[in-house]
Amino acid sequence: MRPRPAAFAGRDRELAAVAEVLRHRPAAVLVEGAPGMGKTRLLAELAARPEFSRIRVLRGACPQLAEPFPYGPVLEALRSAGNRLGPLSPVAGALQPLLPELADVLPPAPEPLPDAGAQRHRVFRAFRELLIACGPTVLLIDDLHRADPGTGDLLRFLAVDWPPDLGVVATCGTGNSSVRSVPGVHSAQVTLGPLDSAAVSAMACDLLALPRLNADFAAKLHEYTAGIPFVAEETLRALRGAELTESTLDRLEVPVALQESVSRQLSALPESSAQLAKAAAVLNVPAELSVLNELAGLAEGEIVLSGLLDEVDDNRYGFRHPFARKAV
């Protein structure tokens, strides 16, 4: 059983901004943020908003796979479209092999075309037909940066003639955005940064069932988690039943979910970047890249910085939070 999430805190402004854009469909919103900043949670809160209770909300995600599925997030979303659809032209039948869940409502599949490019164009037209037939719809796509190239091509195809009552919200990692603006469509970009101390304290009071936090502990908690919602939530779960002192945080073992997350990030890095992260973990103080390169035994200019390390101040780099260093 999945644990109850912490109270949604510190994101009211961003949530309201996305919802406002979606009120004026056709619309497209890109939500950017580093890992753990709460992009998936923002989509969940958006889907639960009362103003979208009477329109179709479809959700798809892009899991971290070696080979992403063709059109994976869009197909995952559309398979739950149901049978309350508007008229569909015969071209929509091109989705029959891809969406067996909608076999009863889609037209018969047309004969395949001999030319692969023409067949792909027909499939794209079919996607657009189906999205129009869905009527007022919000399509939520999580982790778009992990999608296959075909999904990006499909979204670019839709952007030429956007379905008139469609709103799309896609999340992606910082600097990985695939779609920034769509001509003739209400569009916006929202970036999720770290939470402030008040928001982290609100999460703590909720998960630990406390009326308030000691000010010194609240400041240490915010510093220790860097205001990253995922880090804060896992840290707070590990603190249940413990004495809430600053030294408790220093002694705390890395929560399992955090260890797994950092391990995945580390294993996905090029070998040189992983070596740099390990050198930074051993050094345990922010340092210039030249120092980290020398400690890791790497040539100058060889490094591609990973998301595990941040520029702490002018040209000095370290871990974003202590648990990341401990995990590495």
Side-chain angles (χ1 to χ4, degrees):
M1 184 177 177
R2 301 181 71 175
R4 176 182 71 84
F8 187 69
R11 296 284 189 230
D12 291 344
R13 182 176 57 83
E14 293 90 341
L15 183 62
V18 176
E20 177 61 24
V21 175
L22 292 177
R23 286 182 56 238
H24 306 283
R25 296 181 301 277
V29 184
L30 184 71
V31 179
E32 288 189 323
M37 285 299 175
K39 301 183 294 293
T40 301
R41 178 67 184 275
L42 188 81
L43 292 189
E45 295 294 326
L46 187 68
R49 282 180 74 95
E51 62 261 48
F52 301 128
S53 62
R54 296 190 178 184
I55 71 173
R56 201 184 306 259
V57 178
L58 304 175
R59 299 185 63 176
C62 306
Q64 192 166 357
L65 302 172
E67 294 185 20
F69 303 123
Y71 318 125
V74 183
L75 290 173
E76 182 185 345
L78 284 171
R79 67 189 179 91
S80 61
N83 55 10
R84 297 177 293 106
L85 300 173
L88 287 165
S89 75
V91 74
L95 294 178
Q96 277 277 5
L98 300 174
L99 284 169
E101 295 91 342
L102 302 184
D104 293 341
V105 296
L106 290 173
E111 289 294 320
L113 297 170
D115 181 78
Q119 179 69 24
R120 189 163 177 256
H121 180 248
R122 179 195 275 174
V123 169
F124 281 14
R125 289 173 58 209
F127 272 118
R128 185 175 184 277
E129 286 277 326
L130 183 52
L131 286 167
I132 291 173
C134 284
T137 299
V138 171
L139 173 62
L140 308 176
I141 300 177
D142 203 9
D143 292 323
L144 181 60
H145 56 282
R146 295 177 183 165
D148 70 295
T151 297
D153 289 342
L154 172 60
L155 291 175
R156 285 184 278 274
F157 174 84
L158 293 174
V160 176
D161 189 9
W162 199 257
D165 213 352
L166 174 67
V168 173
V169 183
T171 71
C172 70
T174 305
N176 290 306
S177 54
S178 303
V179 180
R180 289 193 177 272
S181 62
V182 182
V185 172
H186 290 93
S187 58
Q189 180 177 332
V190 174
T191 300
L192 301 185
L195 298 175
D196 60 20
S197 182
V200 173
S201 294
M203 292 174 63
C205 290
D206 176 62
L207 279 182
L208 302 178
L210 296 172
R212 66 185 65 84
L213 281 187
N214 171 277
D216 290 338
F217 180 78
K220 178 78 170 181
L221 178 66
H222 184 256
E223 175 191 347
Y224 217 86
T225 62
I228 301 170
F230 172 66
V231 179
E233 188 160 333
E234 293 305 320
T235 301
L236 290 166
R237 293 191 197 287
L239 284 170
R240 282 176 172 162
E243 184 183 3
L244 301 184
T245 66
E246 297 176 51
S247 61
T248 301
L249 284 169
D250 293 327
R251 296 193 305 269
L252 198 64
E253 294 293 325
V254 182
V256 173
L258 267 178
Q259 179 69 61
E260 291 175 349
S261 174
V262 172
S263 296
R264 284 195 299 270
Q265 291 180 66
L266 195 64
S267 64
L269 292 176
E271 179 59 29
S272 56
S273 295
Q275 286 294 104
L276 190 77
K278 292 172 184 176
V282 171
L283 193 59
N284 194 24
V285 291
E288 295 183 358
L289 280 180
S290 58
V291 174
L292 294 176
N293 276 321
E294 184 175 356
L295 184 61
L298 298 167
E300 195 73 32
E302 184 180 339
I303 287 304
V304 176
L305 279 175
S306 73
L308 289 172
L309 299 179
D310 250 358
E311 188 172 7
V312 178
D313 51 37
D314 188 28
N315 199 33
R316 291 168 67 244
Y317 295 83
F319 288 91
R320 299 171 68 195
H321 54 87
F323 278 136
R325 187 198 71 80
K326 287 184 179 182
V328 172

